[in-house]
């Protein structure tokens, strides 16, 4: 309209271009926008900003993914709908899709050499609303709930429902004894008790150990020391005095954590380490991982069988239009901290995790 030369970012004929601020010449290839903190890519021939799945040419060719709206390069895990759906990983430094055997945040995983798809069984849990909308309902930042992040440990999306565990008590004990706290705490030597509890209630043993470690400080917290607790009567029922254990903080309210946690252990008869671990596994299995819960307006089993679902309960939150009342913890890092412990277990024992993954997809 004006006949004047354009400069900088410009939308022309439906595409975005970058024009030299001095000469107006079309720019090509990678460009970093410091203000928006994003890398974008302009096609080497047309100069148009690229979006979606793109094969990047040049000195370091490879598949990348660029945001459909902003054109920002994606990093970390990404669910792609192409070819029936696949979970891939874009390198945190180069933004290129990874292939073959890779170690990501301590977890050894394998990707198809041709397609880049994670080789483990993966299903997508469609949230039908944006991550920003979900984060708003939760009252947290998008980064706290966004599964498409280079910082995400994939084990928080592992399905923790199992029919039989394949790890051994010796491997569980080796991980417990890998720290000074583990060697001195009440979890020491309890690999078989953890394995028995996990198998009895059909949940993953590595997860159960990692959860107990996080909640009990490797078996060093006051609640899991087997301290004496006097006899009490609740609602007409008498519970005997004895030494009681609580590894998962059940019943431990913030205002009276020790007293209420010990009362809970006493009422459930957790007067040994094995009983406390088995009792905790039972509550977790029946209340979350194998609850068989159904939700109005949501089809199928809505059990919270991943760490991500236990923390955020996305199906309930979105179906009810508000924050869930059935979230295991309030810390935004709860799921990732347990996933990190699981990853360290596999790394210490030189094992590769063999899970199916349930990956939330917001949209």
């Amino acid at each position: 309209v004006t006949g004047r030369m354009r400069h900088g970012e410009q939308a022309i004929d439906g595409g975005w271009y970058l024009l030299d601020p001095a000469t107006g010449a079309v720019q090509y290839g990678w460009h970093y926008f410091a203000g928006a903190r994003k890398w974008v890519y302009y096609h080497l021939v047309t100069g148009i900003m690229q979006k979606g799945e793109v094969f990047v040419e040049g000195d370091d060719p490879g598949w990348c993914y660029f945001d459909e709206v902003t054109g920002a390069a994606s990093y970390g895990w990404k669910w792609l709908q192409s070819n029936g759906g696949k979970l891939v990983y874009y390198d945190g430094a180069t933004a290129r899709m990874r292939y073959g055997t890779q170690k990501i945040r301590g977890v050894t995983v394998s990707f198809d050499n041709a397609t880049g798809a994670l080789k483990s069984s993966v299903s997508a849990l469609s949230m039908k609303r944006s991550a920003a909308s979900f984060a708003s309902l939760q009252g947290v930042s998008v980064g706290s709930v966004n599964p498409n992040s280079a910082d995400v440990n994939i084990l928080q999306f592992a399905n923790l429902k199992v029919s039989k565990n394949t790890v051994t008590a010796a491997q569980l004990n080796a991980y417990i004894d890998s720290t000074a706290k583990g060697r001195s705490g009440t979890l020491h030597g309890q690999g078989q008790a953890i394995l028995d509890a996990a198998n009895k209630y059909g949940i993953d043993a590595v997860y159960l150990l990692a959860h107990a470690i996080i909640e009990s400080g490797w078996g060093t917290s006051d609640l899991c020391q087997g301290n004496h607790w006097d006899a009490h009567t609740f609602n007409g029922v008498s519970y005997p005095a004895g030494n009681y254990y609580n590894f998962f903080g059940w019943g431990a309210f913030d205002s009276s954590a020790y007293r209420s946690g010990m009362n809970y252990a006493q009422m459930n008869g957790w007067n040994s380490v094995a009983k406390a671990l088995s009792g905790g596994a039972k509550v977790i299995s029946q209340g979350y991982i194998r609850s068989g819960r159904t939700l109005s307006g949501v089809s199928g089993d809505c059990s919270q069988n991943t760490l991500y679902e236990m923390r955020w309960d996305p199906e309930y939150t979105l179906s009810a239009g508000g924050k869930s009342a059935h979230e295991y913890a309030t810390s935004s890092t709860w799921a990732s901290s347990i996933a990190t412990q699981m990853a360290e277990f596999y790394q210490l024992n030189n094992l590769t995790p063999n899970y199916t993954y349930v990956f939330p997809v917001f949209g």
Side-chain angles (χ1 to χ4, degrees):
V1 175
T2 65
R4 294 185 175 86
M5 181 181 291
R6 294 190 188 183
H7 303 84
E9 279 189 282
Q10 297 291 336
I12 303 172
D13 296 330
W16 281 94
Y17 296 80
L18 182 65
L19 308 178
D20 188 274
T23 67
V26 175
Q27 304 297 291
Y28 303 94
W30 290 95
H31 184 82
Y32 182 69
F33 289 94
R37 299 176 66 183
K38 66 177 183 180
W39 280 98
V40 301
Y41 184 80
Y42 296 97
H43 194 276
L44 294 182
V45 175
T46 66
I48 298 174
M49 179 189 288
Q50 300 297 284
K51 297 180 180 180
E53 289 184 83
V54 176
F55 188 83
V56 172
E57 305 282 357
D59 295 335
D60 185 17
W63 283 99
C64 299
Y65 189 91
F66 301 93
D67 188 271
E68 298 283 358
V69 177
T70 67
S74 291
Y75 302 91
W77 295 100
K78 183 75 176 179
W79 175 264
L80 300 180
Q81 296 290 1
S82 58
N83 301 317
K86 62 181 180 180
L87 188 61
V88 302
Y89 189 87
Y90 295 102
D91 188 271
T94 68
R96 306 304 195 277
M97 184 183 291
R98 288 193 184 181
Y99 302 88
T101 301
Q102 301 280 345
K103 182 167 285 187
I104 299 172
R105 293 207 68 199
V107 182
T108 301
V109 292
S110 295
F111 301 95
D112 187 273
N113 285 323
T115 67
L118 182 68
K119 286 189 174 181
S120 298
S121 175
V122 182
S123 61
L125 184 64
S126 178
M127 295 293 100
K128 299 180 181 178
R129 291 175 73 173
S130 70
S133 173
F134 176 64
S136 177
L137 291 171
Q138 288 284 353
V140 297
S141 67
V142 177
S144 297
V145 301
N146 187 7
N148 296 316
S149 169
D151 295 328
V152 164
N153 188 325
I154 195 174
L155 292 182
Q156 65 178 301
F157 307 110
N159 189 336
L160 304 175
K161 184 190 299 184
V162 301
S163 56
K164 187 72 173 179
N165 283 282
T166 58
V167 298
T168 67
Q171 290 166 338
L172 296 170
N173 282 328
Y175 185 57
I176 294 169
D177 287 349
S178 67
T179 70
K181 281 188 173 183
R183 293 189 294 273
S184 63
T186 50
L187 282 174
H188 173 69
Q190 296 299 320
Q192 190 61 55
I194 292 164
L195 189 59
D196 290 343
N199 283 331
K200 182 176 182 179
Y201 294 105
I203 61 178
D204 185 67
V206 177
Y207 147 72
L208 186 64
L209 171 58
H211 191 164
I213 285 171
I214 290 296
E215 298 288 353
S216 73
W218 292 84
T220 64
S221 70
D222 290 341
L223 278 175
C224 66
Q225 295 310 301
N227 294 326
H228 177 81
W229 203 241
D230 292 336
H232 288 89
T233 299
F234 303 100
N235 296 323
V237 179
S238 295
Y239 298 93
N243 297 335
Y244 293 95
Y245 302 78
N246 189 335
F247 284 92
F248 298 94
W250 282 106
F253 303 111
D254 289 342
S255 59
S256 58
Y258 183 74
R259 178 174 57 82
S260 57
M262 288 296 285
N263 282 338
Y264 191 92
Q266 183 184 47
M267 293 170 67
N268 284 278
W270 296 349
N271 58 5
S272 71
V273 170
K275 287 181 180 179
L277 291 169
S278 184
K282 178 181 179 180
V283 177
I284 293 166
S285 178
Q286 295 179 353
Y288 293 87
I289 297 173
R290 289 181 170 269
S291 69
R293 183 184 64 168
T294 59
L295 293 173
S296 177
V298 182
S299 61
D301 182 358
C302 293
S303 296
Q304 294 160 267
N305 52 22
T306 71
L307 286 165
Y308 187 90
E309 290 173 329
M310 289 172 71
R311 169 59 189 94
W312 300 108
D313 199 5
E315 290 171 304
Y316 178 93
T317 300
L318 294 178
S319 67
K323 186 175 181 179
S324 170
H326 201 247
E327 296 170 348
Y328 195 99
T330 57
S331 169
S332 62
T333 60
W334 179 84
S336 59
S337 64
I338 295 177
T340 297
Q341 291 291 339
M342 294 170 66
E344 290 179 358
F345 166 88
Y346 285 104
Q347 191 169 10
L348 177 79
N349 285 288
N350 196 29
L351 298 173
T352 300
N354 183 26
Y355 294 102
T356 59
Y357 296 93
V358 183
F359 199 76
V361 178
F362 294 96

